[in-house]
């Protein structure tokens, strides 16, 4: 029994011990959760610190890579405009990639594009240098914008992917500028309307007064001052509007005649701009490699005669349009700087078409181009015996043998076509209409239209360059003949008349701001800027000849030429005037030749020794009386322009040429005296 009770008590105790936990409830505790949250936050912060450390290391590497990337400057559009490259991303910089160098057409390519007519000296006249940008960018930017404008008028082939991207950027910029100009034009028109109302009020108030009071004088002076400011702003707001929209100017920068003797199948129009080169880095600045031949061609196009400065041992010169080229040695490299200095009032820009790069190079080297084909430019090279032959009425003949030092100099320069020069003295033609004919080596004519007088006439249509070889000027002066007298003064007076006539039609600034200032000054008897130096340099000559070109284009716009496409209008107005001028110049040239050996008839004598100033007075009278002018009248203006150009153009003197002290002159540097390579920065 005791044994049974003991077992029962033990079993009961075990049963109670097993059931006791089931009846008890657990005690709540917050310590594990707070600890877990703290551990999570700590882990996150540690991970964030690691990530920040990695990012800092990566960022420092990116900065180091970009600091070591000297070409990163090339990706800044504010410095390189249309020619900047793409900015490399962070991943590319992290991997150590460098900014690619800028690839642009060479200076040779630019000159060749100018030879094809894609741009003219207007690019240089409108050039605006900017100290905040790389030195060569304004020139390239202006050239590409001129090409965009050219492609709106003429068809051309594609230039390649790189060049097309530059042209696209230039086109977008021109489009934005056009939108700004249109908005500005509306504001200026509103301002002009207000100015006209003030003028009407002034005339009603003081129109009947016999004696001008001080108030009237002050009011009139204020009106003229405000009008002058308005003209300045309107001119700054216009670029190609005079040509494209209203026809106030007619482009007279014509291409050379096409030669019948040259295979014309190939088209080299786009060859120049496709000559791409990668820029050199001078410090962090991308520079363009320029060979000595490219430098000379660029200088002649700018109207610059390069000279050595013996004191500073630098090479350079100042030319047309206030531009200068200066080559300075440093760090083992000749650095070339293109600068734009201030311009005198009489040197201010005109809206005309300027001159071509072909004419600038050829005339400076004593060569006068008269025809071109796909691969050649045919020209007359004026040696001493050729000049004598031209005055005697002999023909110019193709010949073999060494032409001359300046001809070889010309042939070494960049050009879209090679030079086929004629420098032999041929027999005199039997018919007067054929005097000055250009012959092949077998004495057969090169072409029906290829004559000396026609080549001279072409100077007025794209060849009014600011410097030329002495023999060229002498030969042109002989061909134009006539009594110069007051021709230059009458040309400037005709410029003023055309300005007044244009203003009467509501056209402001078509003859240039300087002319507007000059006319206003003369009418108000105010300070007159119009001064004429006794001896012209290329800067003065460029300003005068730019006005002559604008004058010709304005006269052609006023000419009663047959409309193109109508009977008798197979040619454009400019071409009709050109043909009329060629006919007149041939007649004058024949009389100039005959007058040396025989007595001319009275009417022939009158034509040869015509008082050019009085003839211009007649043209002025027709314009002022609104009688209308014909291509024959325009031909007279062309003759006067050629005579004035030959008289005023500064001379380039070559070692084998004669030296005249009657005109400004510059000696040409030998090619070996110029550094072989410079860097345009």
């Amino acid at each position: 029994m005791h044994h049974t009770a003991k077992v029962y008590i033990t079993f009961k105790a075990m049963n109670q011990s097993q059931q006791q936990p089931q009846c008890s409830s657990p005690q709540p505790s917050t310590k594990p959760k707070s600890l877990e949250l703290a551990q999570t936050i700590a882990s996150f912060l540690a991970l964030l610190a690691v990530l920040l450390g990695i990012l800092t290391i990566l960022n420092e590497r990116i900065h180091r890579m970009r600091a070591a990337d000297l070409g990163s400057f090339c990706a800044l559009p504010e410095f390189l405009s249309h020619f900047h490259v793409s900015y490399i991303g962070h991943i590319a910089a992290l991997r150590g990639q460098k900014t690619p160098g800028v690839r642009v057409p060479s200076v040779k390519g630019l000159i060749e594009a100018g030879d094809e007519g894609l741009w003219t000296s207007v690019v240089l006249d409108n050039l605006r240098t900017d100290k905040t940008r790389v030195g060569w960018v304004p020139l390239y930017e202006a050239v590409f914008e001129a090409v965009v404008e050219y492609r709106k008028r003429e068809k051309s082939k594609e230039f390649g992917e790189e060049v097309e991207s530059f042209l696209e950027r230039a086109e977008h910029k021109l489009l934005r500028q056009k939108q700004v100009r249109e908005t500005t034009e509306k504001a200026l028109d509103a301002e002009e309307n207000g100015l006209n109302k003030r003028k009407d009020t002034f005339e009603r108030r003081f129109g009947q007064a016999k004696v001008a009071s001080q108030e009237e004088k002050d009011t009139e002076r204020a009106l003229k001052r405000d009008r002058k400011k308005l003209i300045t702003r309107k001119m700054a707001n216009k670029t190609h509007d005079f040509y494209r929209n209203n026809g106030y100017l007619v482009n007279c920068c014509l291409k050379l005649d096409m030669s019948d003797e040259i295979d014309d199948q190939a088209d080299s129009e786009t060859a120049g701009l496709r000559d791409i080169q990668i820029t050199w880095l001078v410090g962090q600045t991308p520079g363009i490699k320029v060979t000595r031949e490219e430098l000379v061609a660029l200088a002649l196009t700018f109207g610059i005669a390069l000279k050595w400065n013996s004191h500073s041992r630098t090479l350079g010169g100042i030319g047309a349009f206030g531009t200068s080229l200066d080559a300075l040695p440093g760090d083992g490299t000749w650095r070339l700087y293109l600068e734009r200095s201030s311009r005198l009032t009489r040197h201010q820009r005109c809206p005309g078409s300027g001159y071509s790069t072909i004419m600038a190079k050829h005339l400076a080297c004593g060569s006068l181009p008269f025809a071109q084909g796909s691969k050649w430019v045919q020209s007359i090279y004026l040696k001493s015996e050729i000049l004598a032959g031209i005055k005697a009425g002999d023909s110019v003949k193709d010949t073999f043998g060494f032409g001359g030092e300046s001809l070889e100099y010309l042939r070494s320069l960049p050009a879209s076509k090679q030079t086929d020069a004629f420098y032999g003295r041929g027999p005199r033609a039997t018919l007067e209409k054929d005097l000055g004919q250009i012959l092949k080596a077998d004495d057969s004519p090169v072409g029906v239209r290829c004559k000396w007088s026609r080549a001279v006439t072409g100077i007025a249509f794209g060849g009014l360059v600011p410097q030329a070889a002495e023999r060229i000027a002498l030969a042109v002066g002989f061909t134009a003949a006539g009594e110069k007298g007051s021709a230059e003064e009458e040309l400037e007076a005709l410029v003023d008349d055309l300005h007044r006539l244009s203003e009467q039609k509501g056209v402001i600034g078509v003859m240039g701001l300087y002319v507007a200032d000059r006319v206003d000054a003369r009418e108000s008897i105010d300070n007159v800027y119009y001064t004429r130096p006794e001896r012209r340099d290329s800067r003065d000559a460029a300003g005068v000849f730019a006005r002559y070109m604008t004058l010709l284009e304005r006269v052609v716009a006023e000419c009663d030429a047959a409309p193109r496409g109508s009977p008798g209008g197979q040619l454009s107005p400019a071409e009709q005037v050109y043909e009329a001028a060629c006919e007149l110049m041939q007649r004058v040239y024949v009389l100039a030749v005959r007058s040396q050996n025989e007595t001319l008839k009275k009417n022939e004598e009158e034509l040869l020794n015509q008082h050019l100033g009085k003839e211009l007075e007649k043209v002025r009278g027709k314009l002022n009386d609104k009688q209308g002018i014909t291509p024959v009248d325009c031909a007279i203006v062309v003759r006067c322009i050629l005579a004035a150009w030959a008289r005023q153009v500064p001379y380039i003197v070559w070692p084998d040429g004669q030296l005249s002290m009657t005109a400004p002159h510059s000696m040409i540097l030998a090619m070996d005296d110029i550094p072989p390579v410079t860097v345009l920065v």
Side-chain angles (χ1 to χ4, degrees):
M1 182 176 178
H2 291 287
H3 178 74
T4 305
K6 184 178 181 180
V7 171
Y8 174 76
I9 294 171
T10 303
F11 177 78
K12 187 176 180 181
M14 291 178 59
N15 188 37
Q16 289 178 351
S17 65
Q18 291 179 355
Q19 292 180 356
Q20 187 174 358
Q22 295 179 358
C23 296
S24 64
S25 59
Q27 297 295 324
S29 177
T30 59
K31 185 175 181 180
K33 286 190 176 182
S34 61
L35 180 61
E36 181 180 356
L37 179 62
Q39 291 175 344
T40 302
I41 294 175
S43 300
F44 177 78
L45 292 176
L47 179 61
L48 182 62
V50 172
L51 291 176
L52 289 176
I54 294 174
L55 290 177
T56 301
I57 294 173
L58 294 178
N59 190 49
E60 289 179 355
R61 174 173 172 78
I62 290 173
H63 281 293
R64 287 199 307 272
M65 292 297 100
R66 285 185 170 167
D69 184 9
L70 299 180
S72 59
F73 187 83
C74 302
L76 302 177
E78 59 268 29
F79 293 105
L80 292 177
S81 185
H82 312 321
F83 312 102
H84 68 276
V85 298
S86 299
Y87 197 76
I88 61 171
H90 296 294
I91 296 178
L94 183 62
R95 293 163 57 186
Q97 292 185 10
K98 303 288 186 180
T99 304
V102 177
R103 289 170 54 86
V104 293
S106 63
V107 172
K108 172 178 173 288
L110 255 62
I111 297 296
E112 292 177 355
D115 288 355
E116 294 296 337
L118 299 181
W119 62 277
T120 66
S121 65
V122 173
V123 164
L124 314 179
D125 199 5
N126 296 334
L127 193 62
R128 298 289 183 269
T129 56
D130 188 349
K131 297 295 184 182
T132 64
R133 296 192 292 178
V134 180
W136 54 266
V137 168
L139 173 61
Y140 273 65
E141 186 179 42
V143 168
F144 273 80
E145 290 172 6
V147 173
V148 170
E149 295 294 340
Y150 172 85
R151 295 176 76 175
K152 294 178 181 178
R153 305 186 307 266
E154 305 285 345
K155 293 182 179 180
S156 64
K157 294 183 179 180
E158 297 293 324
F159 293 95
E161 183 178 353
E162 288 178 299
V163 176
E164 288 296 332
S165 66
F166 299 151
L167 292 173
E168 184 178 355
R169 293 174 182 174
E171 188 172 6
H172 288 164
K173 178 184 176 182
L174 291 176
L175 182 61
R176 291 194 301 269
Q177 290 178 345
K178 180 181 178 181
Q179 294 171 348
V180 172
R181 284 201 308 271
E182 290 175 350
T183 304
T184 306
E185 188 69 22
K186 293 178 181 179
L188 293 176
D189 287 341
E191 187 175 338
E192 185 177 11
N193 292 334
L195 188 61
N196 291 334
K197 291 180 181 178
R198 288 173 55 194
K199 183 179 179 181
D200 293 340
T201 303
F202 168 79
E203 291 176 350
R204 286 196 303 269
R205 182 177 179 184
F206 298 103
Q208 304 298 326
K210 295 182 179 180
V211 179
S213 63
Q214 185 62 39
E215 182 184 1
E216 179 181 356
K217 293 179 180 178
D218 293 341
T219 305
E220 185 177 13
R221 189 179 296 273
L223 282 171
K224 290 185 175 180
R225 182 181 63 250
D226 293 343
R227 181 170 180 77
K228 178 181 176 181
K229 292 180 180 179
L230 180 64
I231 290 175
T232 304
R233 293 166 62 191
K234 279 209 163 191
M235 283 195 59
N237 196 47
K238 290 182 179 293
T239 51
H240 304 274
D241 296 343
F242 294 128
Y243 292 96
R244 188 184 308 128
N245 294 340
N246 304 307
Y248 296 121
L249 294 177
V250 175
N251 189 345
C252 288
C253 190
L254 303 180
K255 291 185 178 182
L256 297 173
D257 291 335
M258 296 306 299
S259 174
D260 300 330
E261 300 298 323
I262 301 176
D263 179 21
D264 213 17
Q265 299 298 321
D267 184 5
S268 59
E269 182 180 8
T270 60
L273 291 180
R274 288 183 173 178
D275 184 19
I276 302 293
Q277 69 175 25
I278 191 167
T279 55
W280 292 6
L281 282 180
V282 181
Q284 280 191 307
T285 305
I288 297 176
K289 183 190 73 171
V290 182
T291 64
R292 54 163 62 111
E293 292 81 8
E294 292 172 334
L295 175 56
V296 171
L298 194 63
L300 294 180
T301 302
F302 275 85
I304 296 175
L306 295 173
K307 299 177 182 178
W308 276 104
N309 187 322
S310 57
H311 175 71
S312 60
R313 294 301 301 164
T314 59
L315 175 69
I318 303 176
F321 319 116
T323 53
S324 64
L325 286 171
D326 296 285
L328 286 70
D331 299 331
T333 305
W334 282 87
R335 300 188 184 188
L336 182 63
Y337 296 92
L338 171 61
E339 299 291 343
R340 182 68 176 271
S341 60
S342 59
R343 304 167 72 172
L344 296 178
T345 306
R346 64 175 182 268
H347 298 164
Q348 290 181 359
R349 63 175 292 270
C350 284
S353 298
Y355 57 83
S356 67
T357 57
I358 284 183
M359 285 293 191
K361 293 181 295 180
H362 276 260
L363 295 182
C365 295
S367 171
L368 179 57
F370 63 88
Q372 67 175 341
S374 62
K375 300 178 181 178
W376 298 89
V377 169
Q378 293 179 312
S379 70
I380 301 169
Y381 176 60
L382 264 73
K383 301 169 68 173
S384 299
E385 55 267 31
I386 298 302
L387 178 58
I390 286 171
K391 292 182 177 180
D394 295 342
S395 59
V396 181
K397 182 180 177 181
D398 194 7
T399 186
F400 300 100
F402 181 71
E405 183 177 345
S406 57
L407 178 60
E408 297 305 310
Y409 200 91
L410 172 65
R411 285 173 168 166
S412 69
L413 302 181
S416 63
K417 301 177 178 68
Q418 301 180 58
T419 301
D420 180 19
F422 292 69
Y423 47 86
R425 187 169 178 177
R428 179 171 175 171
T430 55
L431 300 177
E432 288 186 353
K433 67 181 183 65
D434 294 331
L435 287 183
Q437 201 169 31
I438 304 173
L439 306 177
K440 294 186 286 187
D442 59 0
D443 290 342
S444 61
V446 171
V448 177
R449 300 185 301 173
C450 295
K451 297 184 179 69
W452 163 254
S453 60
R454 188 178 182 87
V456 169
T457 307
I459 293 177
F461 292 83
L464 297 177
V465 299
Q467 58 182 6
E470 185 179 21
R471 293 194 188 108
I472 292 285
L474 296 176
V476 172
F478 172 82
T479 307
E483 175 62 36
K484 310 301 186 294
S486 59
E488 296 162 22
E489 288 77 8
E490 289 297 327
L491 281 171
E492 295 288 354
L494 180 55
V495 169
D496 294 348
D497 288 346
L498 289 170
H499 167 76
R500 296 187 188 95
L501 291 172
S502 300
E503 281 206 329
Q504 291 174 9
K505 297 180 179 180
V507 184
I508 296 179
V510 70
M511 302 305 295
L513 179 60
Y514 166 60
V515 176
D517 288 346
R518 186 172 70 186
V519 172
D520 288 345
R522 284 175 169 170
E523 290 179 351
S524 62
I525 318 178
D526 202 342
N527 177 36
V528 181
Y529 305 123
Y530 180 37
T531 56
R532 179 183 168 190
E534 294 182 1
R535 295 169 64 87
R536 297 197 187 279
D537 56 17
S538 61
R539 284 168 285 180
D540 284 310
V544 173
F545 300 155
R547 289 198 293 276
Y548 288 174
M549 189 62 177
T550 308
L551 162 66
L552 176 60
E553 296 185 331
R554 188 72 188 97
V555 166
V556 173
E558 293 288 337
C559 177
D560 295 331
R564 191 159 195 168
S566 64
Q570 291 80 13
L571 302 176
S572 67
E575 291 169 338
Q576 293 179 49
V577 172
Y578 175 59
E579 294 297 335
C582 289
E583 183 179 346
L584 174 62
M585 293 299 293
Q586 178 66 13
R587 289 168 54 201
V588 173
Y589 172 63
V590 169
L591 295 177
V593 172
R594 286 175 51 198
S595 66
Q596 298 179 104
N597 301 314
E598 60 181 277
T599 303
L600 301 177
K601 297 177 182 180
K602 183 178 180 180
N603 61 333
E604 294 174 338
E605 184 73 26
E606 290 176 353
L607 176 60
L608 176 63
N609 298 319
Q610 219 169 31
H611 194 289
L612 301 182
K614 292 182 179 179
E615 293 301 315
L616 284 172
E617 284 183 5
K618 296 177 183 178
V619 177
R620 291 178 58 200
K622 288 185 176 182
L623 286 170
N624 291 325
D625 295 339
K626 297 180 173 56
Q627 297 178 8
I629 56 175
T630 65
V632 175
D633 297 320
C634 296
I636 295 173
V637 176
V638 171
R639 180 187 178 187
C640 296
I641 288 175
L642 289 170
W645 177 84
R647 185 175 177 177
Q648 299 177 81
V649 64
Y651 294 163
I652 290 284
V653 179
W654 293 85
D656 59 347
Q658 62 188 36
L659 179 62
S660 171
M661 298 307 295
T662 60
H665 60 274
S666 300
M667 293 293 295
I668 200 74
L669 280 179
M671 197 68 75
D672 292 340
D673 293 336
I674 299 173
V677 176
T678 57
V679 181
L680 180 59
V681 294

